């Protein structure tokens, strides 16, 4: 029987938990784009705060222009880095699925779905909250 099973892996061994990967590993791998985006947005906020205090004596319009530049640059960098990391995360998920690591792939996809939901919260709030206060009666 040992010679018969030498090149053949049984179905039970193929679907063992170790061969399917870890859900937690996938979840953490899928959260990397969100974590990096939060860190970059914190750096952008700190940079905007610093530039505002550095241009305090320059007047409002110079201060505002410098602040807008720093925030726009920070958001652009954050969006680019997030896009690259999300693309790489989807490639890792594809590779995990091809290797049969379904638990890891599922965890990463759940994390990316949670990330998408969190990124949509400000958009939903912008559409649902009134832009102008109600008229006084």
């Amino acid at each position: 029987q040992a010679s018969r099973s030498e090149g053949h892996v049984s179905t039970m061994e193929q679907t063992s938990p170790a061969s399917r990967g870890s859900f937690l590993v996938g979840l953490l791998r899928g959260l990397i784009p969100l974590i990096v985006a939060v860190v970059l947005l914190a750096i952008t906020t700190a940079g905007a705060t610093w530039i505002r205090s550095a241009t305090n004596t320059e007047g409002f319009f110079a201060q505002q222009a410098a602040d807008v530049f720093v925030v726009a640059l920070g958001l652009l960098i954050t969006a680019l880095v997030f896009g690259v990391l999300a693309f790489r995360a989807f490639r890792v998920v594809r590779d995990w699925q091809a290797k049969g690591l379904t638990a890891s792939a599922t965890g990463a996809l759940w994390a990316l779905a949670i990330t998408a939901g969190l990124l949509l919260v400000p958009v939903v709030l912008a559409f649902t909250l009134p832009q102008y206060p109600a008229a006084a009666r």
Side-chain angles (χ1 to χ4, degrees):
Q1 189 176 19
S3 63
R4 193 180 108 213
S5 66
E6 275 182 20
H8 177 18
V9 178
S10 72
T11 306
M12 184 69 94
E13 292 171 356
Q14 285 178 349
T15 60
S16 68
S19 69
R20 288 185 299 215
S22 169
F23 183 83
L24 184 60
V25 168
L27 190 70
L28 293 175
R29 178 64 177 92
L31 286 176
I32 289 174
L34 177 64
I35 293 167
V36 171
V38 167
V39 169
L40 288 175
L41 289 174
I43 291 170
T44 299
T45 304
T49 303
W50 178 80
I51 203 73
R52 182 171 288 185
S53 66
T55 59
N56 197 21
T57 59
E58 301 297 321
F60 173 74
F61 293 110
Q63 186 179 25
Q64 184 183 26
D67 204 24
V68 166
F69 177 75
V70 168
V71 170
L73 184 65
L75 289 176
L76 179 66
I77 291 170
T78 301
L80 289 173
V81 170
F82 179 81
V84 168
L85 291 176
F87 179 76
R88 290 179 68 196
F90 279 113
R91 281 184 28 192
V92 168
V93 167
R94 183 190 63 199
D95 293 343
W96 282 343
Q97 287 175 335
K99 293 177 184 175
L101 301 172
T102 56
S104 296
T106 302
L109 288 174
W110 271 106
L112 290 168
I114 290 168
T115 299
L118 289 174
L119 291 177
L120 284 177
V121 168
V123 176
V124 170
L125 287 176
F127 281 115
T128 57
L129 294 178
Q131 299 298 314
Y132 302 101
R137 292 182 183 215

